[in-house]
C-alpha cells in the first residue's frame, strides 16, 4: 500500500562536474544514514499511538509475520532493528491514512469487502489451505474481514489522491524523451524461433545422444521446407512452443552463449543445425535482425506517458502521507 506505483526506472541525468583551476572536483559523498534505534527483544504491549489510537503488539507481530511469509524466511538478525523499525513506520502510516479515510467517509461497502475476500480465497486450492494461511499469520476470519475493509478504505483514499495528479500529455512525454536520449538507445537485436529438446541436468552421454537423435528427423523436415512454426508447436519442449517457437527480439547477453553465438551469426531466413546448450538441443531460425538504434518516440510514447503518470501519482500520494503524518500526534513507544 505504501510502496507506491512501481514504474520503469528512469536513469538520472548526470550532473556535470565542476572544475576549479583545471582540476575536476569529485562529488561529495553523502553521509550514511544514522543507525536505527535498537528494537527491544521484548516487544511492549503497545508499540505506538497515532492520534491516541493504539498500535498493539499483536498487530505489530502479525505485520512482521506477513513480511517474513512474503520474504520466505525470518528477519535476519543483523537487520532486525532496520526491518522492524520499517514495519512500525508502515503501521503508523497505515493508521494515519485509515483515520483520514474515515474522516472523509470513504469506507468500503459490504459488497466490496465480500468481493475482495472472495478474490483472496480463490488464490488457495481449497478452504482448508486458506484457513491454514490465516492461522499461520495469526489472523481469524473476523480479523481478516476487518483488515480487508481497512485495506479497501485506505485504497480509496490513495486512489482519490492519485486522481488529482496533473494529466500527462504527449508534450510531457516528448520532453522526457528528448531529455533522456541514452534511455532509448537499443543495441543490435535478433528475432529468432527455436525447436527445443530438453535434457535433464546432469544427464549422461547416452541420454544426451537420445535427445539429439529425437531432434534429427525434425531438422530434416525443417530443411525440407517444413513449416517451422508448426513443427515447433508439435515438437518443442518449452513455453515458446505455443507461439511457434518465437522468442521475439533479444540482444547480446540475454541467451546462453551457444545459442547467442549461433543466432547472431545467421541471416534472416536461415536455419541452424542442431545446437547444444546447457539446457538441451535447439534448432534455431532467425526471422529478423535489428541494427543498433535509438528507439523512435512513436514506439515508446505510451510507455513514457504511463511512467510519468505513475510518477506524478506517487508524488501526490507521498505528499499526502507526509502532510498527514506531520499533522498527526504520533507516539513511538519502543
Amino acid at each position: 500500500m505504501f510502496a507506491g506505483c512501481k514504474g520503469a526506472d528512469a536513469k538520472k541525468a548526470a550532473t556535470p562536474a565542476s572544475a576549479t583551476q583545471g582540476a575536476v572536483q569529485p562529488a561529495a559523498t553523502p553521509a550514511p544514514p544514522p543507525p536505527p534505534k535498537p528494537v527491544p527483544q521484548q516487544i511492549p504491549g503497545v508499540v505506538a499511538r497515532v492520534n491516541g489510537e493504539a498500535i498493539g503488539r499483536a498487530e505489530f507481530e502479525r505485520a512482521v509475520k506477513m513480511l517474513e511469509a512474503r520474504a520466505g524466511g525470518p528477519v535476519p538478525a543483523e537487520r532486525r532493528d532496520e526491518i522492524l523499525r520499517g514495519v512500525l513506520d508502515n503501521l503508523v502510516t497505515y493508521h494515519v491514512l485509515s483515520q483520514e479515510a474515515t474522516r472523509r467517509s470513504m469506507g468500503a461497502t459490504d459488497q466490496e469487502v465480500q468481493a475482495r475476500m472472495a478474490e483472496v480465497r480463490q488464490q488457495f486450492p481449497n478452504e482448508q489451505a486458506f484457513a491454514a494461511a490465516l492461522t499461520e499469520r495469526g489472523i481469524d476470519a473476523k480479523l481478516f474481514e476487518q483488515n480487508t475493509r481497512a485495506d479497501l478504505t485506505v485504497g480509496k483514499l490513495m486512489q482519490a489522491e492519485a486522481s488529482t495528479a496533473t494529466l500527462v500529455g504527449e508534450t510531457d512525454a516528448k520532453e522526457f524523451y528528448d531529455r533522456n536520449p541514452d534511455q532509448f538507445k537499443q543495441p543490435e537485436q535478433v528475432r529468432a524461433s527455436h525447436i527445443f529438446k530438453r535434457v535433464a541436468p546432469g544427464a549422461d552421454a547416452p541420454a544426451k545422444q537420445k535427445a539429439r537423435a529425437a531432434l534429427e528427423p525434425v531438422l530434416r523436415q525443417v530443411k525440407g521446407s517444413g513449416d517451422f512454426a508448426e513443427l515447433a508447436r508439435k515438437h518443442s519442449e518449452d513455453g515458446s512452443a505455443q507461439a511457434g517457437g518465437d522468442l521475439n527480439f533479444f540482444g547480446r547477453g540475454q541467451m546462453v552463449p551457444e545459442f547467442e553465438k549461433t543466432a547472431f551469426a545467421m541471416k534472416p531466413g536461415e536455419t541452424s543445425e542442431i545446437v547444444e546448450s546447457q539446457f538441451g538441443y535447439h534448432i534455431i531460425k532467425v526471422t529478423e535482425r535489428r541494427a543498433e538504434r535509438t528507439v523512435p518516440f512513436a514506439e515508446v510514447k505510451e510507455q513514457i506517458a504511463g511512467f510519468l503518470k505513475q510518477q506524478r501519482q506517487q508524488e501526490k500520494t507521498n505528499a499526502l502521507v507526509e502532510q498527514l503524518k506531520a499533522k498527526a500526534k504520533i507516539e513511538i513507544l519502543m
Side-chain angles (χ1 to χ4, degrees), residues 17-39:
S18 60
T20 303
Q21 297 180 348
V24 177
Q25 304 298 312
T29 303
K37 181 181 177 182
V39 175

Side-chain angles (χ1 to χ4, degrees), residues 258-280:
E258 303 87 354
F259 192 104
E260 176 188 300
K261 181 179 179 182
T262 301
F264 275 89
M266 294 165 62
K267 297 177 181 178
E270 289 185 339
T271 302
S272 73
E273 301 297 321
I274 295 175
V275 177
E276 182 179 1
S277 77
Q278 67 193 76
F279 300 109

Side-chain angles (χ1 to χ4, degrees), residues 199-200 202-209:
V199 173
D204 57 17
K208 289 183 177 181
Q209 183 56 40

Side-chain angles (χ1 to χ4, degrees), residues 204-220:
D204 57 17
K208 289 183 177 181
Q209 183 56 40
K210 182 179 178 181
R212 183 185 179 95
L215 208 51
E216 287 173 352
V218 180
L219 177 61
R220 286 195 291 271

